[in-house]
Structure formats: structure tokens, C-alpha cells
Amino acid sequence: MKSVRDARSVAVVINAASRRGAAAATSAVDHLKQAGVPVTAVHPVTSGAELTGVLDRVAAEQHDLVVVGGGDGTVSYAAGLLAGSDTVLGVLPLGTANDLARTLEIPNGLAEACAVISDGKVVDIDLGRANGQPFLNVASVGLSVGVTQALSPGLKRRIGPLAYGVATVQAYARHRPFRARLEFPDGDHPTLELEDLLQVAVGNGRHYGGGNTVSPMAGIDDHTLDIYAILAAPLREHVKIARLLKDGSFVDHDRVYHLETRNVRLVTHPSMPVNLDGEIATETSTDFSVQRNAVHVVVPQGSTGATFEGPSGTACQA
């Protein structure tokens, strides 16, 4: 399907438990229909507990287009279900960070995002896998897990993206350095033993954490994973690193390791939880890989975040 105009079956799933989902559940469908999207099924979800079951069923129905409204965790789970299929994913950014939308230049406003689904182009993007679990933006171990644990739904609703800063301060005060080993099954890098770590992250996309950048050259259709490991350091050094997170230039800091690969295994002792796009979904040891051109997504006509490569692997406009 090269255009939404070609769709015969369109399902809409709205996570009403996301930051802006409750208010958008009804108006999103109205906006889509007004924009000319031929909606055939609507699934408002009122709790996270039922979300995965609904998405599982919708994905199995093999619609031409599935529109998902929610945060990055919701969209990543849906992308994992649709990966490798002909079903196109439409994104309504209703969460707190909305980093996938930022990467693909999908507008944050509900009406504008619905218009993109109607009038946009279809691209294909890579999907990260961590022990088989999907992620679109970043998977991480260490400080970011503490941030996720400190991010209460109430805090996110009250202050939005600023909640990440508050939660980071809280998590940093409680963080304890850890050790990790990075193994590269393809042999493109030697095994890396690291001690006294603040965080290890594996990036598939470009943005994470409410607008931070994985690295200056990171992209969601470059078929590689960007790995960075931040070593523990005096607070003043971490403040310097934090100031460079927005543009990704922190990877050049002397307390940061940065590598690119397609497959990596992360080992920690003891085992540690792994954060996938804001959801704690697995634990170490973790095998990371990239699934090339796995998901078809609708983006604005002028978006430069990804292209459509198609079966031949030759980039073209959709």
C-alpha cells in the first residue's frame, strides 16, 4: 500500500492510559474520518493491562493500515507485531516523549498527525530487537531504568516532558555503578569489558528521552545499532555530558564509549533490567539485533527521517 487512499481496512487503537490518550480517544477518530481516512474498526483501550491483547488481535486481522495512538512504548509494541508484514503503521503521538514522532517529523498536534496519516507517504524503518522484544528508539541499562521507575503517571500528566528531568535527578542520586561486557557475534569489534558504568544504551532510532539524540549520525533506517556506554565520573563531568545530549555530541566525550554494529550481546553480573522505549521489558544478558526495513510507517511528505527502500533495497520515494 503506497497511499492511505488505497486502504480498504483501517483499524484504530487508542491507548487512553497514555498521557493525552483519554482526551483524544473520541476526537482522533473524528479527525481521521474528516481527513478522509476510511476507518473500519475502532478499539479504545482504557488500561495498559488490556492494551497488548487488543494490539495482538488487531495485528492478526491483517488490516491495510493500523493507526496507533499512544506513547513510544505502545507504538513500539505495535511495530513489533506488524514487522515484516504489508500492514502500514500510522502514529498518533499521545505520550510524554513521543521520540519516534520526533525522529520521523510527525507533528505532535492531534489534528495535524491525523492529516499526515491521510496525506503522507509510506516509508520503511528498522526495528531493534532485545531478546526478541521490539524497540524503535533506544534500549538501555543503568540510570535510565531508574529514571523509568521514578516516572510516575501522575508526574508525567502534571508536567509532561519536564518529568524526565525530575526523574533523572532522583535516579542519579540513587544510582550505583555497575560492570558490563559487550560481545560482538559478527566479529566487527573485539569484546569490550567495562567497569564503573552509569549507563549502557543501544539505539535503533535517532531520538530518545524526550528529544535527546543517540549520536550525530544516528538514523532509524541506517540498518545499524548505535551503542554508547557512559562511565561513572564526578558530577561536573556528567553535567557536561548532559548538556551535549540534545545534539548527540556527548558520544565524543572521553567518558563515553561509542560503537556501531548490527548485533551485540550485553552481559552484566548480576542480571539487570532493560528499558525498551520507556518500558522495562527484559533483563540481561541481552542479545540485540536490528531488523532491517521491518515496519512500514506513514510520515509527512516532507519528512527526511526515513525513505522507502522497497524489495530491491534501492531508496525511492513512496
Side-chain angles (χ1 to χ4, degrees):
M1 189 186 78
K2 289 192 174 184
S3 168
V4 171
R5 306 293 181 183
D6 302 326
R8 292 172 297 177
S9 177
V10 179
V12 179
V13 180
I14 303 293
N15 181 7
S18 60
R19 180 169 175 253
R20 296 189 294 145
T26 300
S27 56
V29 176
D30 291 340
H31 283 305
L32 287 168
K33 290 181 176 178
Q34 290 169 9
V37 179
V39 176
T40 54
V42 180
H43 302 272
V45 180
T46 57
S47 73
E50 64 175 312
L51 178 63
T52 57
V54 170
L55 287 171
D56 288 346
R57 292 194 301 273
V58 169
E61 292 168 352
Q62 299 182 337
H63 296 277
D64 295 322
L65 171 69
V66 173
V67 178
V68 177
D72 285 316
T74 299
V75 177
S76 290
Y77 184 83
L81 296 172
L82 300 178
S85 75
D86 292 329
T87 300
V88 174
L89 174 65
V91 178
L92 300 180
L94 303 178
T96 303
N98 301 316
D99 284 304
L100 176 68
R102 184 176 285 105
T103 292
L104 296 177
E105 302 170 30
I106 297 171
N108 223 30
L110 183 60
E112 293 80 3
C114 289
V116 164
I117 292 172
S118 173
D119 301 325
K121 63 183 179 182
V122 177
V123 300
D124 43 26
I125 63 174
D126 299 335
L127 182 70
R129 295 279 186 182
N131 287 342
Q133 299 296 313
F135 67 97
L136 287 166
N137 304 320
V138 167
S140 53
V141 170
L143 179 66
S144 64
V145 172
V147 173
T148 296
Q149 293 168 334
L151 273 171
S152 68
L155 183 65
K156 289 194 287 186
R157 286 194 177 93
R158 286 196 305 274
I159 62 176
L162 293 176
Y164 283 89
V166 174
T168 298
V169 171
Q170 295 172 346
Y172 187 85
R174 296 192 295 264
H175 177 76
R176 296 293 178 268
F178 64 98
R179 300 174 61 182
R181 182 172 70 252
L182 294 170
E183 303 170 353
F184 299 90
D186 296 339
D188 50 337
H189 300 286
T191 297
L192 191 60
E193 298 274 1
L194 299 171
E195 298 184 3
D196 207 21
L197 286 162
L198 180 73
Q199 179 163 299
V200 175
V202 179
N204 172 66
R206 180 165 179 80
H207 294 295
Y208 70 102
N212 296 329
T213 303
V214 174
S215 78
M217 301 303 293
I220 201 165
D221 68 345
D222 60 4
H223 320 318
T224 61
L225 300 171
D226 279 83
I227 304 166
Y228 72 76
I230 301 177
L231 298 173
L235 176 60
R236 65 179 179 275
E237 291 302 315
H238 285 155
V239 170
K240 291 179 182 177
I241 291 172
R243 289 173 177 165
L244 303 174
L245 290 175
K246 288 296 181 185
D247 66 1
S249 60
F250 74 98
V251 297
D252 295 324
H253 193 279
D254 60 9
R255 300 296 291 175
V256 179
Y257 287 85
H258 175 235
L259 299 166
E260 295 180 0
T261 189
R262 292 188 179 182
N263 295 282
V264 63
R265 179 174 175 81
L266 172 63
V267 181
T268 65
H269 297 288
S271 181
M272 298 175 66
V274 181
N275 176 352
L276 306 181
D277 288 344
E279 305 288 337
I280 298 173
T282 187
E283 62 183 23
T284 58
S285 300
T286 311
D287 292 301
F288 295 96
S289 61
V290 60
Q291 191 174 349
R292 176 174 176 162
N293 296 340
V295 187
H296 301 299
V297 187
V298 187
V299 301
Q301 288 289 343
S303 173
T304 58
T307 60
F308 183 82
E309 291 193 342
S312 67
T314 302
C316 61
Q317 293 297 320

